[in-house]
Structures are given as structure tokens and as C-alpha cells.
Amino acid sequence: MGSQEVSNVDWQGKHVTVAGLGVSGIPAARVLHGLGAVVTVVNDGDDERSRAQAAELEAQGITVRLGDGDTLPESTELIVTAPGWKPGKPLFAAAAEAGVPVWGDVELAWRLRGQDGREPVPWLAVTGTNGKTTTVRMLASILEAAGLRTAAVGNIGVSLLDAVLGEETYDVLAVELSSYQLHWAPSLRAHSAAVLNLAPDHLDWHGSMEAYAADKGRIYEGNRVACVYNAADPATEDLVREADVEEGCRAIGFTLGTPGPSQLGVVDGILVDRAFVKNRQKQAQELAEVADVNPPAPHNIANALAAAALARAFGVEPAAVRDGLRNFRPDPHRIEHVADVAGVAYVDDSKATNTHAAEASLAAYDSIVWIAGGLAKGATFDELVTGCAERLRGVVLMGADRALIREALARHAPEVPVVDLARTDTGAMSEAVGEAARLARPGDTVLMAPACASMDMFVNYNKRGEAFADAVRARAAESV
């Protein structure tokens, strides 16, 4: 089934196996069942929650097999998988042997565009190790400021299946895509797409950095208008070079420096466009001021430039870029200023769950008391510590893998004072904030950018961020 055969698929009686009960699997099963497919859901888990979900689906006539996610059901003609299921699972090996194709929910949504007779909506797609959600939400804000009907979808916000098949109509979609989703989306062809950056992440899933990068690079395949890359990250430009795009599609770079032709960049505090202007050799179009970006940290300015490039590729006027960036408000726990206490700023970047994200966060401030630690996910910290050592007033470490960061600090920043907190109870964050306050001086920033995942101590990074913010606010109340 090619990507242009979307509306010709006859789902009636087609035997489809949906792999995984979850945020993508359940909607996929319901959609396919509604289209007339014979749907079987397979799931590794067999717990109370899974049984409740299975009961709901079975009441609708969908077969569910719990505790057996590795066996390929007989008569399967297609598998639709949850994005997190690893390619090496026996289920997929059996599918390959039987010649059964495997799609993800993104692929399914892409194939179902136009299924209801409507004109398929173009996608502006974003991936990268860090910054995806912020960039997609900035892009949606810009598109809305241009008067376009849009939504932030994919790995964020509205479900892609809902966006494609729901009653709401759109002019264009701002689509966040993870490497997992791209791996299972072979026929995706975006209007324009961006890879924001590339750093080692999820290597246990992909198997290697090369495989991870290749899956990210799939986002450029078949692009029609623009492949947007990060001029400061040559690996992203390499992916553009390797992509098979439609004739006339252009490579568009973004940079925090002065842009060259076919780039967007920054000149004297102004975001400028030398890509989508008539004479890009000699002209630049002002889009917005750095002050219009919230917050104006370097990595966030890069996100804004990538969003602007995609919007401009879609024909959006400069004033809408400015207005969209001004209207944008970042999600919580993404380099979020919580409070100033005794001349010290407290910033929550709990979303910095890997070293690449923490590096960008640390680069935004001059004098930092850094709160870090958690689950390292196989990461090493030498490069991160080397890059930020001169900015560190002190460090407070917590979490399961804090010793890895402590050892990197001992090697590369031995003069920086380090507080190592062994406790893992709910009061640990309050103590961490207290120790950070003790180390800080007026004008410093206490920055929680853990460079690690949160699940050793917290349900997720949101809960970790809330614990930090609560501790800061309690400290602020005490100082009044």
C-alpha cells in the first residue's frame, strides 16, 4: 500500500493485530474496528489495569490477548504497534518471516488521511533529541497567529488519529515525532520537517547511535518544500544530504549566529530570515526580537528559529512569526522560573532528563548552583561537566545514579563544592533546595536540570518539578 493509496484501502474484514494496550494502541484498535477490520490486540502485561482496558474493548467486539505480546495471531495481515515496542521483539521477527507489514500509529494516521473524503491535511513535522515539544507548540502558535486552523499533535497534545479522522478540520498540522514513531512510519511524507539536534538517547531501543540517527532522518524522506536542519549540529545536515526528497525541496539551516543564504539566524538581537526572501544573497527579513522568545535561553531561541523556518516554508508572513512567539507560553518544568529568593533565581528544568538537555539548560546561566541526578539511562557525564564547570558555584546531587555525576565532577571540576544527598524519601527535594540555597550567592541561579530520568524517586519529571517548585515556594514564604 503506497502512501498515495490512502483512501483506497479496504479495511472490511482485514485481520489487523494491534500491539500494545496504551495511549496509541487503544485508539488504533477502536478506529480499525470502526472501519470494519477484524482486530486482535496483544499485550505483554496482564495486570488489573490491562484487564479493565481489555474488557472495554471486548465489549465492542475486539479480541484481546493479555500476557502474550510475542506470538503472532493466525491470519494477521498487518500489525499496528505502539511506538515503544522494540524492533527486536519476537512478534516482529515472526511478522517479518510471514511477510506481514508493521506500522506504528503515525503510519496508520498517515495512511488514513483522506479516508473520509476530505482533502489530506499537510504535516509540518519536528523531531530531535531535545526541544521537540516546545518547537511544535511554538509552531502551532505561529500558525494560529497567521489565522490557520491547526493543532499540535503526534507525541504531544491531540492524538494524530483524532486529528486525521475527527470532526475538527485543519489547514495544517504541527506534528511532534519521536524516533520510535519514525521507525514505524515508512511512508510518511511531510510538507516540511526539522531535526533540531542529535545526541545519544534511547540507544537501548535502537541498538546504536547510527540506527537512532537513521530513524530520526526518516522525517526528511519525501519532503516537498523544506528540510530544516541545525547549522550547529552537522549530523542533522548530514541527514538532509542523505534524504530522498521531492524535486525543488530546499535545505534550510538555523543558527544562533548571523545567517548565511538559505538560513535563519540572529543579528543584533533580531531573529532574521535569509531563506524565504526574494534575494537571499543580499536581503534578510526581520521576523521577531530575541525578547519575543519565552524564555530567551540560547536553546530556546534555536527552537524558535526552527519553528519559524517551518512556518515560513508554509508561507506564513513575518508578523505572524512575531505574534506567535509572543503568544507562546512554555509548558511547566521546561526551564521555568519559579521564584527569586534573597537575590537568587530558582529555575525548574525537570524536563532535562538527559545530558544534552541539561547542557543546553546550563548554558543559559552564568553562575549556577546545579541540582542534578536520578536514573542515568546509561549516560556518561564527563563531557557535560567539562562544558559547564566554569559556571558552577556548587552542585547538589540526589538520586540513584548520582555517583556517576559526582565522579565526573571530581575529575573535571574538583574545586566545585558538592553536596551528596543519599536520602530518597519525599523530603529529599526540600533538603536539596535548602543545600542549594546555602551554596548560592545573590545573582546566582539555582537550576534543577537533573540530566537524568526521574523514576527512581518520582512518578515522572512533572512530579519531580512540582516537588522542586513546592520546596522553593516554601522557602520564599519563610523569607517574607
Side-chain angles (χ1 to χ4, degrees):
M1 300 178 206
S3 63
Q4 301 309 310
E5 298 170 11
V6 175
S7 57
N8 299 328
V9 177
D10 182 9
W11 293 99
Q12 198 67 41
K14 181 176 282 293
H15 287 256
V16 182
T17 294
V18 173
L21 279 170
V23 292
S24 62
I26 291 172
R30 286 176 173 153
V31 164
L32 290 163
H33 178 70
L35 292 169
V38 179
V39 179
T40 301
V41 179
V42 297
N43 194 62
D44 285 335
D46 183 9
D47 53 26
E48 188 175 338
R49 184 164 182 263
S50 299
R51 287 192 287 274
Q53 291 170 326
E56 287 185 25
L57 292 176
E58 287 170 337
Q60 298 170 40
I62 297 169
T63 301
V64 182
R65 295 185 184 178
L66 297 177
D68 184 18
D70 288 337
T71 305
L72 182 68
E74 289 183 19
S75 305
T76 298
E77 299 171 77
L78 169 70
I79 293 176
V80 175
T81 181
W85 282 39
K86 292 183 180 181
K89 277 186 72 68
L91 176 69
F92 303 133
E97 191 173 325
V100 174
V102 181
W103 300 355
D105 60 323
V106 170
E107 178 76 6
L108 179 63
W110 178 257
R111 303 272 193 149
L112 290 177
R113 296 168 315 122
Q115 187 83 22
D116 54 5
R118 289 184 292 192
E119 186 69 23
V121 176
W123 292 12
L124 300 175
V126 177
T127 196
T129 304
N130 294 297
K132 297 183 292 295
T133 299
T134 297
T135 302
V136 165
R137 291 188 60 241
M138 283 179 171
L139 174 58
S141 183
I142 292 168
L143 296 170
E144 286 170 358
L148 295 163
R149 295 169 299 175
T150 190
V153 301
N155 203 32
I156 170 185
V158 178
S159 151
L160 257 174
L161 285 170
D162 286 345
V164 168
L165 297 174
E167 294 181 6
E168 187 88 23
T169 56
Y170 299 102
D171 299 310
V172 57
L173 293 174
V175 186
E176 176 186 336
L177 296 173
S178 70
S179 55
Y180 301 167
Q181 290 172 313
L182 286 162
H183 181 88
W184 300 118
S187 67
L188 169 67
R189 301 292 182 265
H191 173 285
S192 299
V195 180
L196 303 175
N197 43 59
L198 277 175
D201 201 17
H202 306 302
L203 301 192
D204 56 338
W205 195 95
H206 292 276
S208 68
M209 184 63 193
E210 291 73 24
Y212 173 63
D215 280 334
K216 289 289 192 190
R218 287 184 181 219
I219 203 168
Y220 289 136
E221 289 298 313
N223 280 197
R224 300 206 312 269
V225 176
C227 294
V228 178
Y229 67 92
N230 184 346
D233 191 339
T236 65
E237 189 173 5
D238 291 343
L239 294 178
V240 177
R241 289 198 182 94
E242 294 162 11
D244 183 10
V245 300
E246 287 198 13
E247 188 174 349
C249 181
R250 296 170 57 204
I252 305 296
F254 63 88
T255 173
L256 293 177
T258 302
S262 293
Q263 291 186 340
L264 281 73
V266 182
V267 179
D268 295 332
I270 305 295
L271 275 58
V272 298
D273 171 4
R274 283 190 70 185
F276 301 98
V277 290
K278 286 184 179 178
N279 184 356
R280 54 183 179 268
Q281 296 300 324
K282 297 181 179 179
Q283 289 182 321
Q285 170 67 55
E286 179 177 330
L287 297 176
E289 296 182 10
V290 166
D292 294 324
V293 180
N294 181 20
H299 68 286
N300 211 40
I301 296 166
N303 294 338
L305 289 165
L310 290 172
R312 294 286 282 158
F314 198 69
V316 167
E317 293 297 318
V321 174
R322 179 199 64 209
D323 293 345
L325 291 176
R326 285 179 179 173
N327 294 340
F328 171 74
R329 294 292 175 269
D331 283 345
H333 317 302
R334 286 172 167 82
I335 205 161
E336 180 181 15
H337 180 268
V338 177
D340 289 325
V341 184
V344 175
Y346 289 78
V347 174
D348 167 13
D349 198 15
S350 186
K351 183 62 172 69
T353 58
N354 56 43
T355 56
H356 191 260
E359 179 184 19
S361 193
L362 287 158
Y365 303 98
D366 294 327
S367 183
I368 302 162
V369 177
W370 180 28
I371 299 177
L375 287 176
K377 299 184 298 182
T380 58
F381 298 90
D382 292 85
E383 188 175 337
L384 174 62
V385 169
T386 301
C388 71
E390 292 182 357
R391 298 170 180 268
L392 296 178
R393 169 85 67 186
V395 180
V396 180
L397 296 175
M398 59 193 299
D401 293 328
R402 65 190 184 281
L404 296 173
I405 307 175
R406 185 180 66 238
E407 290 159 8
L409 287 161
R411 285 190 290 271
H412 306 292
E415 73 290 348
V416 175
V418 176
V419 177
D420 189 318
L421 297 181
R423 62 188 287 189
T424 57
D425 60 287
T426 53
M429 185 63 79
S430 181
E431 184 175 347
V433 169
E435 291 292 346
R438 183 178 59 79
L439 292 168
R441 301 289 178 270
D444 289 350
T445 297
V446 171
L447 173 66
M448 187 187 64
C452 292
S454 59
M455 289 81 75
D456 57 329
M457 293 174 63
F458 302 92
V459 174
N460 51 40
Y461 76 82
N462 292 296
K463 293 298 184 186
R464 179 171 62 187
E466 289 167 11
F468 173 79
D470 288 345
V472 171
R473 291 186 187 112
R475 190 164 194 86
E478 291 171 5
S479 68
V480 174

